[in-house]
Structure formats: structure tokens, C-alpha cells
Amino acid sequence: MVDAERIAHLRGLEAHLRANIRGQDHLLPRIAASFARGALGIAAPDRPRGSLLFVGPTGTGKTETFLRATEYVFGPGHLVSFDMSEYQDRSAVNKLLGENREDAGLLGRALTAVKNGGVLFDEVEKAHPLVLDLFLQILWHGRITVATGEGFRFGDYFVGFTSNIGAAEAMRMEHSRHASVEHATLRRVEQELRPELVGRIDEKLVFARLGPDVQREICALEVARETARLRAIGFDLEVSREALEFLMREGFHPHLGARPLRKTVERQLQDAVVRDLFATGCGWGRVVNRENHAGLAITRGK
């Protein structure tokens, strides 16, 4: 039996995702349920704890969602991530599984270092077909053998895939109902990925594009995260509403989603701290717009 404390913790996963992910409320119950099934040992023991495919436009939170769910279940440091754009040729399998009997490969070394958690394959559509064969083995048999002869079981891991397949269509269908976008996107996924691979993935989830209102929420969330991080190292900042709007304007991108927002928030707030340190030696106070909207400044006046 699973202990009550574990159950109580997992019951809070969906709320945790809602607190950290914006614009994807339609998906979070399914993601939380998938992770709960695996974490409670209800999923089939001879396969990964769960397998999920996240598709949709770039910058919509696909990687972030898998990371947040994994960290909530296992704690920090339990995510292994591979960018499949680096595994597009025939040598990709050897890179992952090892070149010879002394080499466990990147995948083998990662699984040795991280005994349980999440394994994420970003941009899966870019992987070489031979790498897709490895995914079939992982999803169906729940294990992989590396060049050293050592076998690794995936019964202690969630396996995630992300893809931008169908993103262009989704952006063109910005005024359509999400159900229509989802149907069109999954149809493209079935056309571009091998059907036997798609069929073995437990959850196929289509992330929605992020409109300006959602991106404004994400901007506020990123500001809260960055100011908390800066406060922990001694720089206490209060960001004005006008400064928040400036960050939103600077970081908003209609096609790249929220990805530029985080970089904009971090760069602008850190630059404001540096300028204030150089000018006054303080680096704390209320963050406001500089004259002529040239960036942000820190003031300690009323």
C-alpha cells in the first residue's frame, strides 16, 4: 500500500502545475493524472512509469511542464534531457548507447547518474530513424542495453517527448476552437511520426498558443521568480506596474511564445541592479521605467 503522506503530496501536483504553468489549464489534469498513476505504482511495471508526447507551438511551456511535474514527484535534479536536433545522423545511436564495450554512451551515463525521475527527448521529430527504434524498445519493453552490455530498466522513469509538429497550422488556426486545432495537430503527428511509436505513447497532448493576456500572466510570474532569486542574494526589488508593462512589450513575441519573456525579464532586472550598483552602490529599491523608455532604473524615492 502507498503511504498517506505520498498520496497527499501527489494530490497537490495539479495545483502545483497550475501555479507554475500558464495558458494550458485544459492539459494539466491529464498530465497530473499520468504522473500520479506512475508515482503510485499503478502503471504497468514492465514499462516506463508513464509516457507523454507534448506537441504545439514553440514557447508554450512543453519542456517546462515536464520539468515541473518531474521535480514535484522526485525533487530537483531528477530530469535527464536530450535535444534530438543533435541526433539526426546514423552515428546518433552510438552517441546515445556507446561506441564500444568501455563506453556506456550519453544515455547510459545519464541513467547511471540519475536512478529515477524523468527522461525527456526534445524535438523528437528531428531524431534519426534508428533513434526512433530505440524509443520503440524503451516504450514497449521498458529497457535498453548499452554498448557495455549493461541493461537499464525504465520502470523508475517517466519518458517525455516534445515536438513542434503542426505548430504552423496551429498558429494559422488562432481563431479556431482548441478542439479543432488539437485534431489537426494530432493528425499531422500521425503523418510525420511512425504510427507504432505514436501508438505506444500513453498521452498525446496539444499545447495551446499563448495570447497576449496569457503572456502578461507569464511575465508577472517570471518577474516574481527573478525578484525572489535576487532577493535571496541581497537585492530587494519592487517592480512597478509601468515596469512590468515595459517588460511585457520588450519580451512579447507572437510566434515564439513565452520563451523570450524569461530572458527579457532576467536581463532587464539584472541590468537595472548593475546600473544602480555602479551609480549608488545599493542595487535595491523600486524598479521603474527610465526616461524615453530606454530600460529600467531603480529608485528609492517615494
Side-chain angles (χ1 to χ4, degrees):
M1 295 292 292
V2 182
D3 65 84
E5 184 177 351
R6 181 69 165 164
I7 294 172
H9 179 68
L10 291 170
R11 192 181 291 127
L13 175 55
E14 184 178 336
H16 174 75
L17 293 176
R18 290 184 185 279
N20 288 280
I21 304 298
R22 295 292 187 271
Q24 310 300 341
D25 286 356
H26 61 295
L27 300 179
L28 301 185
R30 290 172 60 188
I31 296 168
S34 179
F35 272 83
R37 290 194 302 269
L40 292 172
I42 296 173
D46 56 342
R47 296 177 191 168
R49 290 192 177 200
S51 55
L52 306 96
L53 170 64
F54 294 167
V55 294
T58 187
T60 51
K62 299 186 293 293
T63 300
E64 179 79 1
T65 301
F66 193 83
L67 168 64
R68 294 283 175 177
T70 300
E71 287 190 339
Y72 186 87
V73 173
F74 296 96
H78 284 265
L79 178 67
V80 175
S81 181
F82 296 92
D83 182 352
M84 290 294 100
S85 66
E86 301 175 6
Y87 299 87
Q88 299 187 56
D89 56 37
R90 293 185 63 87
S91 67
V93 172
N94 290 341
K95 286 174 62 177
L96 287 169
L97 301 187
E99 300 281 353
N100 52 58
R101 296 286 295 181
E102 286 73 45
D103 179 17
L106 294 174
L107 180 58
R109 291 195 290 274
L111 297 180
T112 299
V114 179
K115 301 297 185 182
N116 54 32
V119 183
L120 181 64
F121 300 100
D122 268 318
E123 298 188 275
V124 62
E125 74 278 9
K126 296 181 180 179
H128 190 274
L130 292 175
V131 176
L132 298 182
D133 289 338
L134 299 182
F135 297 156
L136 291 174
Q137 185 176 344
I138 289 170
L139 294 175
W140 192 246
H141 299 292
R143 68 187 322 264
I144 202 79
T145 301
V146 300
T148 61
E150 184 179 3
F152 293 90
R153 302 199 64 82
F154 280 79
D156 289 326
Y157 300 91
F158 290 89
V159 177
F161 305 93
T162 72
S163 174
N164 294 327
I165 292 175
E169 290 88 341
M171 298 300 288
R172 286 196 295 268
M173 297 173 67
E174 60 179 301
H175 300 299
S176 301
R177 292 184 305 114
H178 180 73
S180 301
V181 176
E182 182 178 57
H183 178 75
T185 301
L186 291 179
R187 186 172 57 207
R188 281 294 306 277
V189 168
E190 292 170 353
Q191 291 170 350
E192 295 197 25
L193 290 180
R194 292 163 59 173
E196 60 268 36
L197 174 62
V198 177
R200 292 176 185 177
I201 298 173
D202 299 331
E203 295 282 356
K204 277 79 72 174
L205 302 127
V206 179
F207 279 58
R209 65 182 297 275
L210 304 179
D213 290 343
V214 175
Q215 292 208 36
R216 183 170 283 103
E217 290 181 29
I218 294 172
C219 185
L221 184 62
E222 293 297 341
V223 166
R225 289 172 178 165
E226 182 61 11
T227 53
R229 190 192 67 81
L230 290 171
R231 187 176 302 114
I233 58 176
F235 304 107
D236 194 359
L237 303 179
E238 176 193 354
V239 179
S240 68
R241 181 177 300 177
E242 294 78 12
L244 182 64
E245 287 301 313
F246 169 82
L247 291 169
M248 173 64 187
R249 290 194 302 272
E250 288 293 301
F252 176 79
H253 195 290
H255 303 301
L256 296 180
R259 186 162 293 161
L261 273 173
R262 175 179 296 176
K263 294 180 180 179
T264 298
V265 168
E266 292 176 352
R267 183 182 69 252
Q268 291 286 352
L269 291 182
Q270 292 169 20
D271 283 352
V273 169
V274 170
R275 283 192 292 267
D276 197 57
L277 282 172
F278 286 171
T280 70
C282 294
W284 58 268
R286 181 174 173 80
V287 180
V288 297
N289 282 8
R290 297 168 70 192
E291 292 183 5
N292 301 320
H293 302 287
L296 300 179
I298 296 176
T299 178
R300 280 164 292 282
K302 293 184 178 180

